[in-house]
Each structure stands twice: as structure tokens, then as C-alpha cells.
Amino acid sequence: MQTTRRQVLVAGSALAVAGGGPAFGQAPQRGGTLTVQLTSEQRVLNPAIQASTGVYVMASKIVEPLVDLDAQGEPVGVLAERWEGSADGLTHTFHLRRGVQWHDGKPFVAKDVQFSAMECWKKILNYGTTLYQFLEAVQTPDEHTAVFRFSKPMPQGLLLRALPDLGHVIPAHVYAGTDIRTNPANTAPIGTGPFVFKQYERGQYLIAERNPNYWRGNGQPYLDRIVWRFISDRAAASAALESGQVQFSPYSGLALSDISRLSKDARYTVSTRGNEGNTAHTVMEMNLRRAELAKVEVRRALCHALDLGFFIENFLYGYAKLGTGPIPSSSAPFYVPRSAPYPFDRAKAERMLDDAGYKRPSRGAMRFAQPLKLLPAPWGEYTVNFATFIQQSLREIGVRVEIEARDAPGFLTGVYRDHNFDLTTGWHQYRNDPAVSTTVWFRTGSPVGAPWTNQYGYDNPAMDRAIDVAATELDPTKRKALYQDFVKLAVDDVPVHCAVEHAFISVYSKRLMGSHNTPRWSSSSWHDAWLAPA
Amino acid sequence: MSPALRAFLRSPPGILGVALLLVVLFAALSADWFFPRDPLSLAGRPLQWPGQNPRLLLGTDNLGRDIAGFICHGARVSLLIGLVATVVAVGLGTLVGAIAGFYGGWVDDALMRVTEAFQTVPNFILLLVLVAVFGSELEVITIAIGLVGWTAPCRLVRAEFMSLRTREYVLAARGLGVRDAGLIFREILPNALPPVIVYASVVMAVAILMESALAFLGLSDPNIASWGNMIGAGRSVLRTEWYVSAIPGVAILVTVLAFSLVGQGLNDALNPRLQAV
């Protein structure tokens, strides 16, 4: 059974590499409706005020960023044609694409970029408020030039890698003078993208139709229409895919057992390709407010108690690998190969707890007076099953864990506002550069209650310094070296154990062509996607 | 041998029910002996089919837990929940029903309006509300299940009391100066109990089902080995490894069936009309 499954996985990835499949080399065909299944909706379709894959997977077909990533993961212009930065890193000039129109017919100009950056990215957008905190002004010397002025050096590489996520441009003429957070365009977006917003029924579907005036021309976009259907029940989602009602399920939207089953079905491609830019870690977070967990030896011991190889092979169907630190191996510009820092060693874990002063009172008894309270992040199988696995593993070394299951709002309040937990699991996403959304988990100073930040009470001045120095270093080589200091500190102090690294899994019909050809394809504009005839 | 017991032993459903119940009881009592490990612990590679590994008789679920051990330990949880919830439901129902039926008048009116208030909300919805408010520890769930199920026994007891309170033996006891409490508990209640005892077996079966339904929705206590928890966990592999949900499902079926059959047997034994024939 074990070998069979592994063989099947290898076969599955080989198929995925072949990619194009039967229609390889065919010319793109115009027309057709692509239906996409989504597990949940965020009720915001404005990527300039909410940074999340759940927003991009729909809105980035309608609203475009200045820059995206190409097939090699290098920045490529979308609404910006080219750019240059000053030597001191304080000024970045973007030359904007000419002849681009908003969906309402008005021309796209530099003022739109200025408005988006100063009013949305800097003031409202999550992660953007940190990234752009030293953005002083965006000047518009003419209609097609936007000059970003920073008061502290901003590395060009960081800015360009952040822009695909934190650089979507919205029309100033729609938003200026209104309350941006409540503007109706947030759920009926107007953009420059290949698809035009048509209809949004909460809890049911979103429809966007082909933009006939799209600036890329050449018959693009090829699809007539995209429909996103919200199907939260995973069993129903796989049924919809198999019955042909849906052609694409992004971001690991199906049950892992169904994903594994469909990987053997010749009608579908099951792959992590095209999601490299959205790598996530399944993590174990430890609340340093709990006396036992405040000791670094105890935290390290708990990490040594987890047989993660077994977990990946058997719980995650092999669709993951061991995490090595907060920067994932998929991040070519910043990753330096390391081994997994806390290999499974139960005897060592027991010894470390003994040495830390937490001996078992008697053979088989539990070490801590009170059990550890574990809140599993309700984001699906990865985080919920990992919680059970932690409970099972820690029991073996004499640490009792009690799981308290909560729904998403209860979890976010319990962990990030009330800090009412000892352990929690989570899903941390890495976005192309550590300064975009990764270092914030380790730095002090995030407001209480802000989700996906450092709320386990980790406070190390050396860490804060390392993060700040690296974020303003202009030389890419030096910057990469500085982030290795950050990784070492994060791994040694281990307030968050980046246990498992995995890309999201896409499941899609082999009819879907021109897809998964960039590292963040599910979040990109799909201008060159097309459907082969059934 | 009392006539009731003899009647019970003559009823085939009753015998079958008791036999099944003994099997479940044996599983519950012997769990620690045959399966000394914590039933929630990792027993081996997840999703091994029953019979594939001689050490794991019924295989493992998708979290690597030994299904056989889980079923035996789960029997304790289910029986415990069934028993305690029934005691709560029948106890409360009997008390309220007895008072309402015995006194009648405005006491009856007031208590029946409260009962109706409970009856207008579907049982399971009320249970979800209670669990959402008070949390999902085993104690809370058990008591909550008891609380949502007390209205039916209450109505039953009330009806019995209303018909019994004017019987001659009750009037005679009253004439002898027996106080209300004595009349309720010593004179009327023993005669009102047979239908309640029969109904209690239904309450017990429903209590077990309710806990399973809660666990299926992921709202039961995740730190205990309950059958519903395993069915809920197995839902995600239903298309491929159906046995993960099916085995605890059969366990629930057997237990609920056992209680229903025992109830049937009790009905045969205690129902005076059937005895007369």
C-alpha cells in the first residue's frame, strides 16, 4: 500500500510536468466558460485594500498590479512597462503603460497609481502598512510616470517582489473623495484587467466576462467568461469537478484523499506547479506567556518530539516536505539550503525536558501540572490534522495536550486578541520576499488583535534589529546574507516551528490550457488561459 | 421470578436487545484490558484497511488511530453519555411532569407553558445553541443532551399523574393524612413509572445519536474517543476508505438497536394490556 501510493504520486507529478497533455502545441482557442470552485469567499474584491489569495483568486482577473512575476519568477511589467531606482534606494520611478483603459472607458493614468499607493496600500492594505510605512510621496511628473519617494532606503528587489501582491491599482476617479473601505466598487470592481466584473451573488457565485478592449490585444483574453462558484463542502466540490460542472479547484480546495484519488484520474491534472510563489508553512506556534513554553529548551524539545516525515507521508499524502525555517526552499533569491532544524528524536526530547526541570513524577505520568491548551487553526486538513498529530506525539513524551476546537472568528479572537492558548497550529504564507509578510511574525510592535502577526509574545531585541537592518539593505547579496541571520535566530529561538513546507495544490481539468505557467498563476490575470474542446 | 421478568424473558426482542447490550458492555468494560493504549494515540500508519495488519484488527483511521481500540473505548463514552443524559432527561421530566399532573390548575398551566417553550425549538438546534454557549466539554454535552430531551418524559408522567391522582387508593392515602410529597413519590409515581421506563430506552438511544451527530459536525469534545468523532474524521475519506466511517456507524447502530429492543421487551413485560391477552 505504501509503495503503491508513492508510485502513484511520482506518476502524478510526471504527468503534471508533461503539462499540456493531449493538446500540447495546439493554438489557443477563443471562447468558453471557465468555472472555478472556491471553498470560501471574503466578500471583498478589492486587492488594493485586502491582501489575500482569497481576494486575488477572483479580483486579479479584473484589477491588475503594476508588476507580476514571469515563468522564471522574475518581475515582469503589467501596468508598469519599465522602471528604474536611484542608487540610494530612496526613489523608484515607474514608466506606465500607455493606451490602457479602465472598464468604464476612462484612461489609466499616473494619478491612479498615486492614489492607490498613498491612500490604499500605505494606509489600509494589510502588510502594505508595514512595507510602505516609509513611502513619503508618489509624484506624477506626467500622465505616464509615477515616482515613488521613500524616506528610508527601499531595496528595488523587495519592492518589485512585493508589488505582485501589494501593488494592485484601482481607479482614482471612482474612489477619490469617498470612504474607500465602504465604496461599492469593493464588491463590484472596476479595473484594467482582461475580465470585466459582471455579477456577484454572495455565497453563490461571481461572474466576470471578457474585456474586448484589453490592452494586450492579440485575441486575448481567450475565455469568454469566468464563473467562480463557492462550494464549501469538500465532498460536493470534488463531485462538481468530476461531473464537469467545475474545471478548476485552486489552493488545495479539495479533501486530500480526493486530491490523491483524482491524481490517478487521467482527466485531471493534480499539481503544485504554478503555485510556487504561494508557498505556505504549516506551523506550530508556542505561546511564550505560558511558564513552561517561555523556556527555549522546552520549545525545542517539543519540536524534536514530532515525527514530521511520518506526518507528511501518511497524513498529507506526501504533498509537502520538511520545513527548514521561515524562508521556504521555493524562494530562490533568499533561500540557503539548510537541513530540517529539529529532527525527530523522542529520547532526546525526553532528555531535554528532564534537564529543563520537568521530570515525569512517575513512569508514564505527565510532566506539566496543567495540560497544554491547543487551538487548531480551522483552515482545513493541514492545520486540524496537524493539531491531532501534535497531541498524539507530545503525549508520548509525557506532555498532555487538550484540543479546543473553534470556528474561524473564535480562533482569531482567541489567539490574536486574547492570547488564550498555549499551542496553536497555523498556515503562514510566504510572499516572494521575507519582508512582505514573513518577518512580521517575529518582530515586536504589531497591534494586539492583528491576525497573522507575532502574538505569542516573542520579544528579542536582536531579532528586531536583524529584521530592520535587512529590510533597508540595498545590496541584494548582502540582503540575502542578512536574512540568514534572521533565519538562524528564528530557528534557534523557535517561537514558531515552521514544521512543514508545502505549495498549494491545484486540481484542474486537462481541458484548461495556458494555465499554471507562472509561480503565482492562481492569483494572476489568466489573460492567456483557454479551454480545449471537451 | 416476578411475572414482569418472566414476561420480559418470553419476549424475543428483549432477549436479543439484552444480548447486544451485553456485547457493548463487554467492549466498554474490557477496553483497558485489550487496548491499554490511549485510544487517541497514533497506533500506526493511517488508513490501513481492516485485516491488512494483524496487530490492528479493524485497521486505522485517517489520523492513525486503532479503530478497534477506538470502538471499545468509544463504547464507554457512548454508554456514559446515554446513561447520564437519560438520568437528567427522565429525572427532570418526571419531577416537572409529576408536579404539573398532581397539582393541576395554574401550576400545571405554568409548567406546561415552559415545556412547550422547549418543545417549539427543534431538539438538535437547541443542543447546538447550548454547546455554542457553554462549550464542548464532555460534561456540558452530556447535560445539554439531557436538557433538550426532558419534555417528552415530562408529558408522559403528567398524563399518568392526571389519571392516577383521583384513584381510590390515592384518595384513601390522602384521607389517612399522607402529605403531598408522600402521595407523589410513594403512592402515584411507582404506578406511573412503567411507560417512563420503556420510554427511557428511547431517550438513551436518542442521546447516543445526538452526541454522534454533534461529533459528526465537529462540535463534540475532540479530546475523547467518541464514535461520532471518528465518523466525522472519516468523512473526508468517505469515497476511498469508507470503513473509517462505517465501522463506528455499525457500532452506533448496534447500540441504538440494543436499547430499542430492550425497550420493546420492557413494553411487552410491563404493558398491562398485553399481559391480559
Side-chain angles (χ1 to χ4, degrees), chain A residues 72-311:
Chain A
Q72 281 70 46
E74 291 302 317
V76 58
V78 180
L79 288 178
E81 267 181 325
R82 58 200 164 81
W83 46 82
E84 66 254 355
S86 67
D88 59 6
L90 295 176
T91 308
H92 296 273
T93 306
F94 289 89
H95 300 281
L96 307 177
R97 200 169 293 281
R98 286 156 198 269
V100 177
Q101 271 188 3
W102 293 102
H103 293 158
D104 61 5
K106 299 248 175 26
F108 160 73
V109 289
K111 256 201 137 36
D112 298 315
V113 177
Q114 179 191 46
F115 178 83
S116 301
M118 295 309 291
E119 300 302 321
C120 301
W121 309 347
K122 182 180 161 75
K123 288 187 184 161
I124 303 175
L125 185 64
N126 49 323
Y127 304 130
T129 50
T130 323
L131 186 82
Y132 297 111
Q133 63 178 318
F134 300 116
L135 176 65
E136 290 281 277
V138 176
Q139 291 161 336
T140 53
D142 62 61
E143 291 221 317
H144 300 288
T145 312
V147 183
F148 285 62
R149 292 205 185 281
F150 290 87
S151 59
K152 283 198 176 175
M154 164 63 82
Q156 191 186 41
L158 167 57
L159 183 59
L160 292 177
R161 280 174 208 292
L163 281 172
D165 283 301
L166 310 178
H168 287 80
V169 187
I170 56 169
H173 65 268
V174 173
Y175 279 90
T178 69
D179 180 352
I180 296 173
R181 290 172 199 268
T182 59
N183 192 301
N186 289 338
T187 50
I190 295 166
T192 57
F195 295 92
V196 182
F197 171 84
K198 189 78 188 167
Q199 197 185 355
Y200 175 36
E201 281 296 329
R202 282 187 175 183
Q204 296 186 53
Y205 57 82
L206 169 72
I207 300 175
E209 290 190 336
R210 182 172 190 273
N211 175 5
N213 306 316
Y214 188 48
W215 55 267
R216 282 187 211 260
N218 289 330
Q220 292 185 5
Y222 300 125
L223 295 168
D224 276 343
R225 169 197 270 247
I226 303 176
V227 179
W228 292 263
R229 281 182 55 191
F230 309 116
I231 307 176
S232 56
D233 185 84
R234 284 164 201 263
S238 64
L241 193 74
E242 285 174 272
S243 65
Q245 293 175 46
V246 163
Q247 289 85 41
F248 176 30
S249 169
Y251 296 124
S252 309
L254 304 179
L256 283 169
S257 62
D258 284 327
I259 289 179
S260 171
R261 185 168 55 83
L262 291 174
S263 71
K264 299 162 206 160
D265 191 324
R267 293 173 296 164
Y268 306 100
T269 302
V270 175
S271 172
T272 57
R273 203 174 67 103
N275 291 321
E276 300 88 344
N278 288 112
T279 306
H281 283 110
T282 293
V283 301
M284 173 171 76
E285 302 174 9
M286 291 168 268
N287 192 344
L288 275 67
R289 294 172 188 86
R290 166 93 182 210
E292 291 94 339
L293 297 178
K295 298 189 181 177
V296 67
E297 300 81 16
V298 173
R299 298 201 295 274
R300 290 177 186 158
L302 299 192
C303 296
H304 276 301
L306 305 177
D307 188 353
L308 297 170
F310 182 92
F311 178 71

Side-chain angles (χ1 to χ4, degrees), chain B residues 209-238:
Chain B
L209 280 178
M210 279 208 175
E211 194 276 335
S212 305
L214 266 188
F216 182 75
L217 296 176
L219 294 171
S220 186
D221 190 339
N223 300 297
I224 56 164
S226 96
W227 294 338
N229 269 340
M230 181 166 275
I231 295 181
R235 199 166 54 137
S236 67
V237 294
L238 198 59

Side-chain angles (χ1 to χ4, degrees), chain B residues 140-165:
Chain B
V140 177
I141 287 176
T142 312
I143 292 172
I145 292 174
L147 278 184
V148 302
W150 67 276
T151 50
C154 171
R155 291 242 167 217
L156 204 59
V157 171
R158 171 175 170 270
E160 288 291 316
F161 264 68
M162 288 176 86
S163 82
L164 291 175
R165 70 175 174 190

Side-chain angles (χ1 to χ4, degrees), chain B residues 23-266:
Chain B
V23 171
V24 178
L25 264 175
F26 175 75
L29 293 175
S30 67
D32 271 338
W33 199 36
F34 288 117
F35 304 97
R37 281 168 60 98
D38 180 352
L40 296 177
S41 68
L42 191 66
R45 201 165 47 73
L47 297 178
Q48 301 185 49
W49 281 77
Q52 188 185 342
N53 182 338
R55 194 170 57 81
L56 303 163
L57 204 62
L58 295 177
T60 52
D61 74 350
N62 50 339
L63 296 168
R65 302 176 295 202
D66 179 0
I67 295 182
F70 202 95
I71 294 294
C72 289
H73 283 272
R76 293 179 171 191
V77 174
S78 287
L79 289 179
L80 184 79
I81 289 174
L83 215 63
V84 176
T86 306
V87 167
V88 171
V90 172
L92 188 65
T94 305
L95 190 69
V96 175
I99 292 172
F102 182 79
Y103 289 105
W106 67 268
V107 178
D108 182 38
D109 281 345
L111 289 174
M112 281 308 105
R113 293 304 87 76
V114 175
T115 316
E116 276 159 17
F118 271 85
Q119 283 184 312
T120 47
V121 186
N123 282 356
F124 194 67
I125 304 289
L126 186 60
L127 180 61
L128 287 179
V129 171
L130 289 174
V131 169
V133 173
F134 296 107
S136 60
E137 287 83 33
L138 181 60
E139 300 82 4
V140 177
I141 287 176
T142 312
I143 292 172
I145 292 174
L147 278 184
V148 302
W150 67 276
T151 50
C154 171
R155 291 242 167 217
L156 204 59
V157 171
R158 171 175 170 270
E160 288 291 316
F161 264 68
M162 288 176 86
S163 82
L164 291 175
R165 70 175 174 190
T166 50
R167 297 282 172 90
E168 276 131 9
Y169 72 93
V170 179
L171 295 177
R174 200 193 286 274
L176 288 171
V178 179
R179 285 158 183 269
D180 287 356
L183 287 176
I184 292 175
F185 292 109
R186 243 174 298 141
E187 303 298 332
I188 308 181
L189 192 58
N191 293 295
L193 269 185
V196 178
I197 290 173
V198 173
Y199 191 73
S201 63
V202 178
V203 174
M204 199 171 296
V206 169
I208 292 171
L209 280 178
M210 279 208 175
E211 194 276 335
S212 305
L214 266 188
F216 182 75
L217 296 176
L219 294 171
S220 186
D221 190 339
N223 300 297
I224 56 164
S226 96
W227 294 338
N229 269 340
M230 181 166 275
I231 295 181
R235 199 166 54 137
S236 67
V237 294
L238 198 59
R239 294 278 292 273
T240 43
E241 283 86 9
W242 49 268
Y243 65 88
V244 176
S245 296
I247 294 174
V250 169
I252 292 174
L253 173 80
V254 167
T255 313
V256 171
L257 187 67
F259 280 118
S260 301
L261 291 175
V262 169
Q264 176 91 48
L266 283 174

Side-chain angles (χ1 to χ4, degrees), chain A residues 415-430:
Chain A
V415 171
Y416 290 102
R417 198 190 68 200
D418 304 338
H419 308 148
N420 184 13
F421 69 102
D422 298 318
L423 298 175
T424 155
T425 58
W427 235 13
H428 278 316
Q429 229 188 101
Y430 177 86

